[in-house]
Amino acid sequence: GQNIDQPTEMTATEGAIVQINCTYQTSGFNGLFWYQQHAGEAPTFLSYNVLDGLEEKGRFSSFLSRSKGYSYLLLKELQMKDSASYLCAVSLMDSNYQLIWGAGTKLIIKP
Amino acid sequence: ETGVTQTPRHLVMGMTNKKSLKCEQHLGHNAMYWYKQSAKKPLELMFVYSLEERVENNSVPSRFSPECPNSSHLFLHLHTLQPEDSALYLCASSQGTGWETQYFGPGTRLLVL
């Protein structure tokens, strides 16, 4: 079957660094999305990784290892506004529109 | 603001009511989606439309009925819902139905009594 695992909740301190992991077991993996969702708001796109390695976008970076079925989202210089849920989702080779979603990681930032 | 709007934002309905959720995208996209989001569960894809044609129906109960009159508008008609249908209903759009980034609306928080 298709499965994605991510921690339910994490806590970090303002100004620090946090890494949110996502592991997947899927057939026909194509790529992996990360979305951010603030409470009561729409999920918004953060990154899409297809190739192995680290991609950096400002304070946020996303890493993918296809051989290990593993990705992480790295958030640096944490700000209070980074408190949100972070969703990872896998796109599959044999489906143009069906994404396999994780349940999301709720990140709590403390002063 | 993602360019996808949804109304109403909140809805309370009884099990015998009929209501409709509306989604509109201002991005010129060709594909639109309905998702159900329940607490601590992964997003569940309900329906996908590409160029106003339904291309996916993920074994959704018939009490949910989608309608896509044009590529900018998507509706979800609700009737005789159950309390377990209470959830956040998210609409999304993408340029195509390839592995495209999906842009989400803020959702309708539905409570079925």
Side-chain angles (χ1 to χ4, degrees):
Chain A
Q2 318 278 25
N3 190 54
I4 292 185
D5 289 310
Q6 40 179 145
T8 303
E9 188 173 299
M10 298 180 70
T11 302
T13 305
E14 190 177 14
I17 299 173
V18 71
Q19 178 175 310
I20 302 174
N21 296 326
C22 173
T23 58
Y24 59 89
Q25 300 87 39
T26 61
S27 57
F29 174 87
N30 181 69
L32 190 142
F33 288 92
W34 282 99
Y35 280 81
Q36 179 192 58
Q37 185 178 22
H38 286 101
E41 297 184 14
T44 55
F45 170 78
L46 290 177
S47 65
Y48 183 47
N49 293 64
V50 177
L51 302 177
D52 285 355
L54 185 69
E55 293 192 7
E56 298 185 59
K57 282 185 185 180
R59 294 188 300 114
F60 290 15
S61 302
S62 57
F63 171 84
L64 177 66
S65 169
R66 296 175 68 107
S67 62
K68 295 182 179 178
Y70 168 66
S71 173
Y72 66 73
L73 184 68
L74 190 70
L75 290 74
K76 302 177 183 177
E77 301 168 16
L78 286 170
Q79 302 175 10
M80 297 303 291
K81 66 179 182 179
D82 297 329
S83 292
S85 288
Y86 292 85
L87 314 177
C88 70
V90 166
S91 62
L92 304 176
M93 294 293 291
D94 61 356
S95 175
N96 282 343
Y97 34 77
Q98 177 88 35
L99 299 179
I100 308 301
W101 291 86
T105 298
K106 182 178 180 180
L107 177 64
I108 300 168
I109 309 298
K110 295 187 174 179
Chain B
E1 180 59 49
T2 62
V4 181
T5 58
Q6 290 186 243
T7 55
R9 293 294 308 275
H10 300 273
L11 179 63
V12 180
M13 59 187 289
M15 289 191 284
T16 58
N17 291 157
K18 290 184 180 181
K19 297 285 184 183
S20 295
L21 310 185
K22 179 183 177 182
C23 175
E24 184 174 359
Q25 57 98 357
H26 311 274
L27 301 169
H29 287 167
N30 294 318
M32 297 187 77
Y33 310 74
W34 278 118
Y35 284 93
K36 177 182 178 182
Q37 187 176 37
S38 303
K40 299 185 179 180
K41 289 186 178 179
L43 288 178
E44 298 175 45
L45 180 64
M46 300 175 73
F47 302 103
V48 182
Y49 278 82
S50 175
L51 297 172
E52 299 131 56
E53 194 172 318
R54 192 190 306 180
V55 296
E56 183 76 14
N57 176 357
N58 267 359
S59 302
V60 178
S62 60
R63 57 185 183 269
F64 295 92
S65 174
E67 179 190 0
C68 188
N70 55 62
S71 60
S72 298
H73 293 87
L74 186 65
F75 295 88
L76 187 63
H77 304 299
L78 315 172
H79 64 97
T80 59
L81 294 191
Q82 304 298 311
E84 60 264 29
D85 297 322
S86 298
L88 182 68
Y89 288 84
L90 291 166
C91 173
S93 72
S94 63
Q95 180 60 48
T97 54
W99 304 300
E100 308 262 1
T101 299
Q102 294 180 19
Y103 293 82
F104 286 83
T108 296
R109 175 70 62 186
L110 174 66
L111 177 62
V112 182
L113 299 176

